Structure formats: C-alpha cells, structure tokens
Amino acid sequence: MWLRCPARDLTTWAGSLPRLLSGSLRGVILDGLLPPEVALRLVGRLQQDRTLPRIPVGGQLIGESLGLSLDRAVGPHQDDYLSSARTLHERLSTLTTGRSLDTLLAAALSMMARPMPVSLAEARGLPRAPLVFRRLPRGGCIPPHAELEQLARRPYDGFREQLDDTTLLSFFICLQQPASGGVLRVHELSWSDYDRSADRGGHSQPAAQLRGVSHTDRLLKTGSLVVFDGGRWFHEVTPVIGEQERWTAGGFLARRCSGDGVLYWS
C-alpha cells in the first residue's frame, strides 16, 4: 500500500513513518513539499557548484552524487566521509534563501515519525550527511537493488550496531524530473525472498530473479518527497531519456536498535 497526498494535508501523512517501518505501508509521496520554482533554482545553483565533491555512481553507470554518501565511502573516499559531510552542511545553508533544504526535510520527517523522535545520525560526535544530491543525465539509471544489502559493507562498521536491521527506508526530494524516463520502479521481490548466492562483491545481482516479477512505477513531481521501504523491496531508477537531467536529494532512515527513535543519514 502506498499513500499519496499534498504535503499541506498534514492530517493524512503525519505519523505515517511507524507504518512504513512495520511494513504495513510501502511508501508515502508528499506532493508540493518544496515549491517547484525553488527546486529548479536550487538545481541551477548545483549545476554551477564546484564546492561539493562529485562522486560517480559507480561501475559503468552514468551519473554522479554531489556529496559523499556513507555507502560510497570506500576505496579512495574511505576517509573523506565526515569532511564531506561538514562541507555539505556548510553549503546547504547557502543554496536556498530562507529555510535550508535539510531543515525542511528534518521538519517533514519529524512530522511523519510522530510520536517517535527523529535525529540526524552522528559519527565520532559529528553530524553525518543529512542528504546527498544525485544527478542522472541522459542514459543515467540506478539498477535494481535493496538497501538492506548496505548494512554488511565496511562503511557501516561501528554504525550498524545502532540500527534496527529490519529495514532501511529510502527518502528523496525530486528537484527536477527528466522529460522522460528516470522513473522510480518498485519490484515485487523482497529481500527475504532473494537468493543471495547470486551476489558479487557484496552487491546484489537480482536480474535473473526479477524475470516475470511484477513491478509498479511511481511517477513523481518536481518538489515531491517520497519515503519508501527501499530496504525490504527491490527497486531501481529507469534510464533517463532526453537532455533534461534528473536531480534528487536523499538518504536513508532506520529505527534505533533500542526502538526509542529514528535516525536518518546519507
């Protein structure tokens, strides 16, 4: 089950996060959280930005992240995560006028999590990145995956113990939709049903197991926030078609292992 409603309709989506964590709700889409004109101005500034580190999405894929997400803090980027997070915090305060994007996001997540408290995760007493920006140009895509596969990887050493490993929720704000493609596609294949013998290098390889499995495409609008159970369910972003790039800002959430609140990070 998915819930979709205008962001201004607080009575509909407030308190929806516990249902996502329990699995009784698959996803929530809040249309109009960020005014489209504000989102597009932000994209224009990001296109010119040379302050944030630009990290390729990996492998042979086309696209990049602005800011270093925890899962990409490997190889030459292994020790760069907290310095990148600090740069991102500093830059976020200047990318928009008025309320910064991370402040808007924190307010929305807090409303969704009621009555549970929500906190930005920390590392060594310093705040983790609240989000990273992702740019997918023509041909850019994100192949099928489930976020629970992240937890076994080295960047989560010392952090995974703080998290309830039932699921990781994915969130992102759509800053610019491409003319075509770049669609969030959610498959009816769960992490618990996935045969992990196909994995390579700690990364899932679900292509064969997805044959014949149904899926649903979730079409988003510029300025919408989506929070969905990307941990338990395989999902992807289809290839971008045309010259208009797909821009998003997002990260992850999980319940604390103690059960007394929710952490978010990127």
Side-chain angles (χ1 to χ4, degrees):
M1 175 183 174
W2 281 66
L3 171 66
R4 184 166 199 160
C5 60
R8 64 178 179 274
D9 189 3
L10 297 180
T11 58
T12 302
W13 57 269
S16 56
L17 198 61
R19 296 170 60 196
L20 284 163
L21 290 167
S22 72
S24 63
L25 189 62
R26 292 272 194 96
V28 176
I29 300 173
L30 305 181
D31 289 323
L33 181 70
L34 188 65
E37 62 275 13
V38 174
L40 295 176
R41 281 199 301 270
L42 174 56
V43 168
R45 290 169 181 153
L46 291 170
Q47 288 170 330
Q48 302 300 317
D49 185 88
R50 295 298 177 264
T51 304
L52 297 172
R54 292 182 175 242
I55 313 297
V57 294
Q60 302 300 310
L61 300 177
I62 304 169
E64 62 184 359
S65 293
L66 277 67
L68 179 61
S69 64
L70 180 61
D71 191 44
R72 300 297 298 162
V74 295
H77 303 297
Q78 184 173 344
D79 299 323
D80 296 339
Y81 178 74
L82 285 177
S83 62
S84 174
R86 182 173 61 252
T87 300
L88 184 64
H89 279 282
E90 294 169 352
R91 190 74 178 96
L92 281 168
S93 64
T94 65
L95 283 170
T96 57
T97 56
R99 187 156 59 163
S100 64
L101 189 61
D102 54 324
T103 301
L104 174 67
L105 177 65
L109 295 179
S110 295
M111 184 69 68
M112 289 184 71
R114 289 183 175 181
M116 296 187 298
V118 175
S119 304
L120 178 61
E122 297 183 346
R124 302 200 293 268
L126 298 172
R128 294 184 181 271
L131 55 87
V132 296
F133 300 100
R134 178 170 284 165
R135 180 186 72 89
L136 294 180
R138 177 199 285 268
C141 67
I142 305 297
H145 63 287
E147 305 303 348
L148 278 174
E149 64 188 85
Q150 290 190 41
L151 288 180
R153 297 175 188 158
R154 179 174 293 182
Y156 278 83
D157 290 352
F159 182 38
R160 69 174 68 88
E161 294 81 6
Q162 301 177 39
L163 307 174
D164 178 345
D165 64 2
T166 303
T167 195
L168 301 185
L169 301 180
S170 305
F171 69 83
F172 65 85
I173 299 175
C174 177
L175 299 178
Q176 179 175 276
Q177 274 291 85
S180 184
V183 174
L184 173 62
R185 175 168 293 172
V186 183
H187 298 273
E188 291 298 317
L189 174 64
S190 69
W191 180 248
S192 59
D193 290 334
Y194 169 67
D195 179 1
R196 298 183 65 185
S197 64
D199 287 6
R200 289 205 308 267
H203 292 264
S204 62
Q205 304 293 321
Q209 296 174 57
L210 286 172
R211 294 191 189 110
V213 173
S214 62
H215 64 263
T216 304
D217 289 350
R218 299 292 169 179
L219 302 177
L220 304 175
K221 302 175 182 178
T222 296
S224 294
L225 168 68
V226 58
V227 185
F228 68 103
D229 194 349
R232 279 183 284 225
W233 296 95
F234 278 86
H235 57 285
E236 64 179 297
V237 177
T238 64
V240 170
I241 300 170
E243 295 304 319
Q244 184 159 296
E245 297 174 330
R246 182 186 194 265
W247 281 85
T248 58
F252 307 101
L253 305 107
R255 193 192 302 267
R256 291 180 183 269
C257 62
S258 58
D260 59 354
V262 175
L263 294 173
Y264 72 98
W265 72 95
S266 187

